[in-house]
Amino acid sequence: MRRTVFNEDHEAFRETLRAFIEAEVVPVYDEWFAAGQAPRDFYYKLAELGIFGIRVDEEYGGAGIDSYKFEAVMYEETARAGVQFGGSGVHVLLGLPYIKMLATDEQKKRFLPKFVSAEEMWALAMTEPGTGSDLAGMKTTAKLSEDGTHYVLNGAKTFITGGVHADRVIVCARTSAPTAEDRRFGISLFAVDTKSEGYSVGRKLDKLGLKTSDTAELAFVDVKVPVEDLLGEENKGFYYLGHNLASERWGIAFGAYAQAKAAVRFAQQYVTERTVFGKPVASFQNTKFELAACKAEVDAAEAVVDRALEALDAGELTPAEAASAKLFATEVAHRVIDRCLQLHGGYGFMNEYPIARLYADNRVNRIYGGTSEIMKSIIAKDMGL
């Protein structure tokens, strides 16, 4: 079946990106992996490549292309090479939609040029210790000062990807108490300057996978946030978060599919070169059947995420459809990557092989952005169950 989601512009971008990865990332990736993060100056290279400005309007230094398809190409090419671009993914996939949707003209003039140039890297801080997926239960507070010039932010966040290098963090905090009718009421979003007094980065968390992305704990002690840095309207933050979850979950789904596709590539290459009992591993019927089954699953996942991508670009991707795509693609990737690692034998357990790193990186896909169980709940509710 001919794939129709990408055009000549996307394929030209793919060639440029593939050459960039081979020259700038692959030679130093082991160093990033050992350090547990990509260096901050790498993000300036991504900015020079135009990665951060694709969906930003031209007046702010971007390309003004209202499409996620170039990001889709990036997912495929990083997975193909067995690398990641550090914590920069949240900058574009999570940070940008909130700026575009909620920022005033004045805020866009302040934020977007620095966003595009990587002068300011952005992250999103939702999750708190002890709350997990229950965002309505967050305890972080932002209280308006008596003179009305700023909010005073207090609390803590955890599992914040990009949190070590971030210059601006969209922090979710309670500005009002929840009501009896709606416990989700009272949450607001703030574009917090990480240089603010009282803002601190705690531990850089030691994760199972995604080793090159900086993930941290954050703490806020009487942090003064100017009222000019409130994003959107006060107390409506929960609804803003829900609005952007569809694009976030599509990103996780597409990334998972790309990882599964890469796993098949890694396994096929390995079994072709590896010999046992005097024959290539690829010559055994079990190997052929396993890879054929994996290929079929990847083909199905590709159709699902491509359809979701088209709907996302058209502004028609519903929360339930995004949940369905995420659930399906992440479960497919889990099965495919596990089977492809098995075909590597003992070498599949060694981090020097990309399949091992891919196995660890993939595991979080069924947790962040909403667990698989939450995805099932969303789909069931949409079914009227």
Side-chain angles (χ1 to χ4, degrees):
M1 294 179 286
R2 185 173 67 89
R3 196 178 187 192
T4 59
V5 71
F6 298 125
N7 62 28
E8 293 179 358
D9 290 339
H10 303 122
E11 296 307 328
F13 175 69
R14 185 189 302 279
E15 291 182 13
T16 299
L17 187 60
R18 187 174 296 183
F20 173 84
I21 290 171
E22 287 299 320
E24 300 289 346
V25 182
V26 172
V28 294
Y29 196 70
D30 286 346
E31 297 174 20
W32 297 4
F33 189 85
Q37 62 185 30
R40 177 62 174 82
D41 61 5
F42 172 68
Y43 299 144
Y44 291 112
K45 295 181 180 181
L46 290 178
E48 291 173 5
L49 195 63
I51 293 292
F52 297 149
I54 292 171
R55 289 191 290 111
V56 175
D57 290 343
E58 293 182 34
E59 63 182 297
Y60 304 116
I65 301 172
D66 190 19
S67 172
Y68 284 82
K69 290 182 179 180
F70 290 93
E71 288 169 47
V73 171
M74 187 166 63
Y75 282 124
E76 291 186 333
E77 289 305 306
T78 51
R80 180 184 182 277
V83 302
Q84 302 232 343
F85 284 168
S88 66
V90 299
H91 181 66
V92 175
L93 186 65
L94 301 187
L96 184 57
Y98 289 99
I99 303 173
K100 293 182 68 172
M101 178 176 71
L102 302 176
T104 63
D105 288 342
E106 183 277 330
Q107 288 175 326
K108 288 178 180 178
K109 289 176 182 177
R110 280 197 290 133
F111 296 151
L112 287 175
K114 293 180 180 179
F115 181 98
V116 171
S117 68
E119 184 179 343
E120 284 189 350
M121 295 297 295
W122 287 61
L124 177 63
M126 292 190 290
T127 306
E128 296 183 0
T131 62
S133 298
D134 181 20
L135 296 179
M138 69 176 60
K139 305 298 183 184
T140 297
T141 60
K143 296 183 179 180
L144 188 63
S145 63
E146 291 185 3
D147 62 6
T149 62
H150 63 272
Y151 292 85
V152 180
L153 182 67
N154 283 282
K157 300 291 182 179
T158 193
F159 305 148
I160 310 307
T161 302
V164 174
H165 285 319
D167 303 288
R168 285 267 177 186
V169 177
I170 300 173
V171 177
C172 312
R174 279 213 164 273
T175 44
S176 298
T179 66
E181 297 78 20
D182 188 1
R183 64 188 294 265
R184 297 171 295 184
F185 173 82
I187 294 171
S188 300
L189 306 184
F190 300 89
V192 179
D193 186 340
T194 63
K195 297 185 296 296
S196 302
E197 184 177 351
Y199 180 104
S200 63
V201 178
R203 292 186 302 147
K204 181 166 73 69
L205 300 174
D206 184 15
K207 307 184 299 295
L208 170 67
L210 302 178
K211 289 290 190 179
T212 64
S213 68
D214 51 305
T215 303
E217 296 174 330
L218 307 178
F220 322 108
V221 180
D222 294 334
V223 176
K224 292 182 179 180
V225 182
V227 293
E228 292 83 7
D229 289 344
L230 172 70
L231 284 176
E233 295 184 39
E234 195 177 82
N235 299 324
K236 293 187 177 181
F238 191 94
Y239 306 100
Y240 299 144
L241 294 171
H243 183 275
N244 283 328
L245 278 173
S247 61
E248 178 184 353
R249 287 168 178 164
W250 164 81
I252 296 170
F254 203 97
Y257 143 75
Q259 289 175 325
K261 183 176 181 179
V264 173
R265 176 175 176 268
F266 295 145
Q268 184 172 354
Q269 181 179 1
Y270 178 82
V271 299
T272 301
E273 297 171 353
R274 173 72 168 164
T275 59
V276 294
F277 306 115
K279 297 191 297 183
V281 174
S283 68
F284 293 92
Q285 186 181 64
N286 179 70
T287 304
K288 296 176 182 178
F289 281 9
E290 283 291 283
L291 283 176
C294 288
K295 174 66 163 55
E297 288 216 75
V298 169
D299 286 346
E302 181 178 89
V304 168
V305 298
D306 280 1
R307 184 181 68 175
L309 173 55
E310 295 285 19
L312 180 63
D313 269 7
E316 299 172 354
L317 185 64
T318 68
E321 289 168 344
S324 179
K326 180 182 185 295
L327 176 66
F328 182 75
T330 57
E331 293 292 340
V332 165
H334 160 65
R335 293 191 296 269
V336 167
I337 294 170
D338 183 74
R339 293 164 84 172
C340 288
L341 186 149
Q342 187 73 16
L343 288 173
H344 282 71
Y347 290 104
F349 204 64
M350 301 296 114
N351 272 328
E352 64 186 274
Y353 281 79
I355 192 68
R357 299 180 182 183
L358 198 59
Y359 183 87
D361 290 348
N362 172 260
R363 185 58 185 89
V364 76
N365 288 334
R366 290 180 288 147
I367 298 174
Y368 68 1
T371 64
S372 292
E373 291 73 24
I374 288 178
M375 297 304 100
K376 292 174 184 177
S377 296
I378 293 170
I379 297 166
K381 183 178 180 180
D382 186 67
M383 294 170 66
L385 299 175

